[in-house]
Amino acid sequence: VASASEYNADKDFVFKMRKAGKNVVIFYGSQTGTAEDFATRLARDIQSPSVRPLVLDPELYDWQCLAGLGDDELAIFVLATAGEGEPTDNMEAWFNALASDRESPEDSELPEFRQPEDKADFDDSAPLQGVSYAMFGLGNNTYEQFNHHARVVDQRMLALGAARVGERGEGDDDADIEEDFAKWKEATLPAIRKYLGSSTPVGEAAPEATWKIVEVEAKKAWIRGEFYEEDEAVSTFDARHPFSAPVTSALELTPGADRHTLHVEVDLAGSGLRYESGDHIGVYPTNAEEEVDLLLGALGLRGRADTPIAVRAVDPFAAQQSLFPVDTTTYRAAFRHYLEITGPVPRAQIKTLVAPYARSAAARELLGRLADDKDAHAAVVAGGCLSLARLINAVHAAEAAAAEAERLRLPVEAAFELCPRLQARLYSISSSARASPERPSITAVVLQYDARAPAAADAAMGARRCGVATNYLLGAVRYLRGDRAEPLAQPLRAGCVLSEAPAADASAVQPVRDGKGHMLQSFTLQPAPGSACDGRRALSLPVFIRRSLFRLPADAATPIIMVGPGTGLAPMRGFVQERALLARERGVGTTLLFFGARTEANDFMYRGELEECFAEIQKAAPQSRIITAFSRDQPQKIYVQHRLLEHSDLVYQTLLCGQQKLGGPSRAHVYVCGDAKCMAKDVAKALATLIAEREGVAEDVAAKWVSEMRKLSRYQEDVWS
Ligand code: FAD
Ligand code: 2AM
């Protein structure tokens, strides 16, 4: 039984709601920011005089207060499922208290809720009786445990006596999560409205502005808004307070290949941060200067880009009073550091935050079509990867014939509301915590692709689209290597933290193009703490460590099979380093690495050091080896799963762990890392096929053994899509 924690009014969300005159609390369980963004948008969509929502982060509040919600109040959960069906970090405590470790909700012990003062008939056996809630889950169907987090919380809320308003919604990021959310809202909002006795149709009251922008006076030495420099008092670093880690090494691993793969190592010394092999590192990226500039231009803000501003909540009771983690920033710094500005604009956002500002017939027609017609949106906005800036420019191109006064002018407040918060990107740490305890490394492939259907308005910048974080890291690699000193000089000055005057970087950044005319990005890179803002070769990245469950077996003698094609090699590199150290110290079990890449000549990253480590491992476990699958070195594709089957003798012997026959889940540990969509499934299937053949059992029996291995943490995946 969870013990009722000591009462703390700051953590009592019911008290907070009532004080602020709210009757709906929306809790988000968010890992990458999507659920938080959906929760914020939901609040805007449902608000009316009688539906007054407050969006809260459950991490900051007591779950014990749930029982205190009255029958004229409502909780809404917007819960993403993280990793392998886990709750998000910010819902972990609530999830553990409400739902975890319970095979079946019926025979589990009840968590101890705080008895509300106004419920004299409080029933311990159904502590959430009288509490109503609605639920939308976010997940990805490529993962085994689709929407597990929302499903379990939903099941437990019902088991504890709460009543759900409407059906549970399930969004699938692999298909169209925006559409799933829209459909759920359409079906559920009337029920919410009815429950709260609202006479205003939900979504029809004019949404109030959430944020107000105050232009503030520039102080002599004012802070431009790079959040990781703001709070000097921070001594514990985490996702909210990343550590500004000096980059100690940054290089291209496959210089001859047709895409860039990077190795970036940072120094955690002095931060108190620790990691284990298999953990993740989060990196807060910075948007490319050209993208920032494009958006400032589209919003008509170029002349005021460096004006110091504060962005504060209109509602004095809002849980979050400042939109950004710093009080004073600039338009440019806000778009550079805090907002996701490159993703395609969702249909719902075009409808509520862009279309209302159309003044010309051409803009009304175009925006109306993109907001109402799913196919038009898919073709033009998703297909053209139209970011907010590109969407505005496309509207401007369509209304070229309209008078200047009629052209779309999107208020910056709407842009601030529309763009989600810029999220940290996670990377599987590619070093071993034993070999390199203070210097974790990242192995990342740089995301660059051409939009399928670039808009006419794209002509100036081309169809090339660049992933935010990986191109930011590529900038670090190039900068430290010493190329492109010229284009980088300007953004580097802009990246300095303290400045005497705000106008130093007011001019537009000139786009840089490669030989094919593609736009390249330039980067704002922060000089390492203590270094002068003079563009010297010292950089730092805002990082934090995220614990994972991807772990080597406690007993080094246990055999392991690692499957890591592409950047899926990242955590395996750390494991291989660790096994080599262990082999020297006390011996290890058989260690197999299946690595896949495009070509042997160009894409075999870390080859030399992997071979050196395996030479060491083989001294202790002679069967150990690296088995490669180079998919483009021959006419037909060869992937890691094909190699698993080809080497079924060796794989089977490794799985047997010295037994005569498996007869059930293997005691060896299997690790798979990389692409979740196809590779991870194909590998699990290949393993089941192999086991079925060798053991003479049906494939579904073998697949069950693999599932059993997952439950026992002997088949572990670290996959992303
Ligand atoms: P973003 O700016 O985030 O852009 C990505 C978005 O671009 C996609 O969501 C998609 O909408 C869009 N997109 C991508 N390709 C196309 C296309 N062809 N057409 C249209 N749209 C497209 N990555 C690694 O390289 N190495 C790792 O070790 C690693 N480990 C990870 C571990 C975990 C737990 C997770 C969750 C992810 C991991 N990733 C890893 C992925 C990494 O976090 C980033 O998602 C990735 O580097 C891209 O980030 P970005 O900012 O460059 O791209
Ligand atoms: P391809 O790009 O030539 O198709 C790392 O990206 C490696 O993974 C590449 O060799 C890539 O091959 C390969 N790959 C692509 N799809 C895969 C899948 N479904 N299973 C395993 N490997 C795959």
Side-chain angles (χ1 to χ4, degrees), residues 67 144 206 228 237 293 297 300 340 353 456 529 544 674 720:
E144 280 246 318
Y228 29 92
F237 297 100
D293 210 47
E340 206 73 63
L353 285 166
F544 60 93
W720 57 88

Side-chain angles (χ1 to χ4, degrees), residues 280 385 425-428 443-445 447 449 467-470 567 570 718 720:
H280 298 133
C385 302
R425 270 54 169 179
L426 289 176
Y427 293 91
S428 306
T443 304
V445 65
L447 187 64
Y449 56 93
V468 179
T470 50
T567 46
D718 177 16
W720 57 88

Side-chain angles (χ1 to χ4, degrees), residues 31-32 94 155 196 212 276 621 660 697 718:
Q31 199 71 19
T32 60
W94 283 50
Q155 198 184 19
L196 291 169
K212 59 173 186 262
E276 294 282 324
Q660 287 299 312
V697 295
D718 177 16

Side-chain angles (χ1 to χ4, degrees), residues 385-440:
C385 302
L386 292 195
S387 60
L388 179 59
R390 290 180 176 83
L391 177 69
I392 296 172
N393 286 346
V395 174
H396 285 164
E399 58 185 6
E404 183 58 39
E406 286 219 320
R407 284 158 67 92
L408 173 71
R409 282 187 69 92
L410 192 76
V412 66
E413 286 86 346
F416 279 168
E417 205 158 335
L418 185 148
C419 297
R421 195 125 52 87
L422 186 59
Q423 295 296 326
R425 270 54 169 179
L426 289 176
Y427 293 91
S428 306
I429 293 177
S430 62
S431 50
S432 147
R434 279 169 140 259
S436 182
E438 289 198 318
R439 295 193 170 180

Side-chain angles (χ1 to χ4, degrees), residues 259 445 563-568 595-599 603 605 629-633 637-642 675 677-683:
R259 57 183 183 170
V445 65
V563 185
T567 46
F595 170 64
R598 291 179 176 180
T599 67
D603 301 281
M605 51 184 143
F630 294 106
S631 55
R632 301 190 188 183
D633 274 351
K637 294 275 184 191
I638 296 180
Y639 291 156
V640 281
Q641 57 271 31
H642 302 134
D675 166 55
K677 205 173 161 72
C678 302
M679 183 277 296
K681 287 181 179 157
D682 294 347
V683 167

Side-chain angles (χ1 to χ4, degrees), residues 627-704:
I627 295 165
T628 52
F630 294 106
S631 55
R632 301 190 188 183
D633 274 351
Q634 60 286 308
Q636 81 287 8
K637 294 275 184 191
I638 296 180
Y639 291 156
V640 281
Q641 57 271 31
H642 302 134
R643 294 293 194 218
L644 270 172
L645 293 170
E646 258 171 51
H647 293 268
S648 71
D649 260 347
L650 178 61
V651 173
Y652 183 60
Q653 285 306 321
T654 309
L655 290 172
L656 280 177
C657 290
Q659 291 171 269
Q660 287 299 312
K661 213 164 160 58
L662 267 182
S666 165
R667 290 211 308 271
H669 284 215
V670 178
Y671 301 90
V672 182
C673 179
D675 166 55
K677 205 173 161 72
C678 302
M679 183 277 296
K681 287 181 179 157
D682 294 347
V683 167
K685 196 163 178 308
L687 196 71
T689 305
L690 183 155
I691 293 174
E693 274 171 16
R694 291 289 163 154
E695 291 274 304
V697 295
E699 200 153 313
D700 61 332
V701 173
K704 272 203 195 105

Side-chain angles (χ1 to χ4, degrees), residues 91-168:
M91 260 297 284
E92 204 180 341
W94 283 50
F95 185 84
N96 288 341
L98 293 174
S100 79
D101 296 324
R102 295 184 170 92
E103 284 289 304
S104 104
E106 288 73 40
D107 44 79
S108 58
E109 285 183 278
L110 294 175
E112 200 178 292
F113 286 91
R114 184 167 295 117
Q115 175 165 357
E117 280 167 17
D118 52 357
K119 281 191 190 166
D121 54 350
F122 185 71
D123 176 0
D124 279 333
S125 66
L128 294 186
Q129 204 150 43
V131 170
S132 291
Y133 72 100
M135 171 82 63
F136 183 79
L138 296 85
N140 187 312
N141 219 346
T142 56
Y143 289 78
E144 280 246 318
Q145 302 278 2
F146 177 59
N147 257 304
H148 184 70
H149 181 199
R151 286 180 188 178
V152 173
V153 174
D154 187 37
Q155 198 184 19
R156 283 297 292 168
M157 291 291 289
L158 292 172
L160 293 165
R164 191 181 55 226
V165 175
E167 294 297 313
R168 182 184 65 237

